Amino acid sequence: MKNETLSSLPGPIGIFDSGYGGLTILEKIRKELPQYDYIYLGDNARTPYGTRSFDVVYKFTLECVNQLFEMGCQLVVLACNTASAKALRSIQQNDLPQIDPSRRVLGVIRPTVEAVGSMTKTKHIGLLATPGTVQSNSYPLEIAKLHENIIVTSEACPLWVPLIENNEHLSVGADYFIRKNVQQLLEIDSLIDTIMLGCTHYPLVEEKIKALIPAGISIVSQGEIVAKSLVDYLQRHPEMSAKCTQGGSIRYLTTESVEKFASSASIFLKEQIQAEHIDLG
Ligand code: DGL
């Protein structure tokens, strides 16, 4: 049954991630669509999601989406591959019809998969992602639906998100794990010419990855792809655009401490921000 307590008035666009990674998507979205209002929600108290089970990722993601709905968002972007892989479909198919069929939740995997097909010449793609995203098999399945004869080789990188969340990603210790995962991926398939960063945290180590791979291999980072896809979506759905307020504002919410969020978020956004604490539920 529809949640009657939710307002039907236009509201900000909600951007959700388990932690800071979604800020890499938010930054590009705001560059393309600066006129809208945004609320960013980072579930930093429970990050990382990438090593958690399907049920837990689904439960946590739904709680965050509901929170954004209660704050007036009519449209929410899951700026997290793990949540997109493990929770998006259930939320779209089972929860939205109950909560409010007119609201929308979008993910980051589909736009990335749409874009990547034209980028590979060898038809061999590598995926670097969290264990959750890799185990879900979402990328190979979505690629097979849209593109013929593309071979996807996946490498789970369980330590990258914790290293980035703890601001240790530029340390010598991080080099070891980044090199190990990138080498393992290329050893499995030497024909890879395109590597997808299937985690919104990974743009922060993109330069390190670039330094480890041969010049002919290109890296696909999701920020711009997702931002352009949202521009396209809002053009094709003027009724959704009309439900998103346009005041150019941004609020940052975190389930962790505001000081911690503000200081780490500045690494992602390269600017000082103010955050608000939120308790879910
Ligand atoms: N940024 C999230 C993603 O894109 C990180 C997931 C996590 O919390 O491990 O998958």
Side-chain angles (χ1 to χ4, degrees):
M1 193 187 296
K2 189 178 170 191
N3 183 342
E4 298 293 347
T5 61
L6 291 176
S7 163
S8 56
L9 293 174
I13 297 175
I15 309 281
F16 162 72
D17 184 42
S18 61
Y20 304 107
L23 295 171
T24 63
I25 304 284
L26 173 73
E27 189 190 14
K28 304 291 184 195
I29 289 179
R30 287 188 78 206
K31 211 167 155 197
E32 292 286 338
L33 297 163
Q35 68 273 32
Y36 290 99
D37 295 305
Y38 296 92
I39 298 181
Y40 182 89
L41 171 55
D43 192 8
N44 302 79
R46 302 188 292 193
T47 197
Y49 281 15
T51 42
R52 294 186 187 274
S53 68
F54 178 96
D55 287 347
V56 171
V57 172
Y58 165 64
K59 178 177 177 288
F60 287 180
T61 304
L62 183 59
E63 284 171 6
C64 292
V65 167
N66 273 326
Q67 181 64 47
L68 287 165
F69 284 168
E70 276 163 28
M71 298 183 78
C73 300
Q74 305 284 338
L75 171 66
V76 172
V77 178
L78 302 184
C80 174
N81 288 270
T82 311
S84 299
K86 293 191 163 183
L88 179 63
R89 184 164 304 198
S90 300
I91 291 175
Q92 285 175 333
Q93 292 181 355
N94 304 331
D95 298 299
L96 274 184
Q98 312 280 327
I99 300 168
D100 180 353
S102 71
R103 287 177 202 245
R104 290 291 173 269
V105 181
L106 308 174
V108 289
I109 294 179
R110 181 77 183 202
T112 309
V113 165
E114 280 171 6
V116 86
S118 59
M119 295 178 180
T120 173
K121 290 194 174 59
T122 62
K123 303 265 185 200
H124 288 246
I125 288 179
L127 172 71
L128 296 168
T130 65
T133 300
V134 170
Q135 279 155 16
S136 75
N137 228 14
S138 296
Y139 271 95
L141 290 172
E142 288 295 321
I143 284 178
K145 276 188 215 161
L146 291 189
H147 311 292
E148 274 179 24
N149 305 325
I150 288 187
I151 294 165
V152 185
T153 302
S154 306
E155 171 75 11
C157 312
L159 290 173
W160 292 17
V161 170
L163 284 166
I164 294 167
E165 288 278 321
N166 288 293
N167 197 16
E168 288 289 341
H169 54 289
L170 299 179
S171 66
V172 177
D175 287 353
Y176 169 81
F177 293 103
I178 294 169
R179 186 178 308 110
K180 181 177 161 197
N181 290 125
V182 171
Q183 279 177 354
Q184 275 174 190
L185 177 71
L186 296 179
E187 270 166 26
I188 299 170
D189 185 353
S190 59
L191 294 176
I192 289 171
D193 68 349
T194 307
I195 294 179
M196 290 183 290
L197 303 187
C199 172
T200 54
H201 283 70
Y202 295 178
L204 272 86
V205 290
E206 190 170 337
E207 290 307 314
K208 288 205 168 205
I209 301 168
K210 260 187 202 151
L212 292 166
I213 59 177
I217 301 180
S218 46
I219 296 177
V220 181
S221 193
Q222 295 177 301
E224 276 161 24
I225 294 172
V226 173
K228 291 210 160 69
S229 147
L230 186 59
V231 172
D232 179 57
Y233 176 83
L234 291 170
Q235 274 166 1
R236 285 187 291 111
H237 295 277
E239 77 290 353
M240 266 330 284
S241 173
K243 289 183 184 175
C244 302
T245 51
Q246 302 198 18
S249 71
I250 172 82
R251 285 174 71 187
Y252 296 97
L253 306 177
T254 175
T255 53
E256 246 289 347
S257 103
V258 289
E259 292 79 14
K260 190 170 181 295
F261 184 88
S263 99
S264 297
S266 61
I267 303 164
F268 284 76
L269 295 172
K270 300 181 195 74
E271 64 173 305
Q272 292 304 316
I273 59 124
Q274 291 210 320
E276 301 162 53
H277 176 78
I278 189 135
D279 284 318
L280 298 170

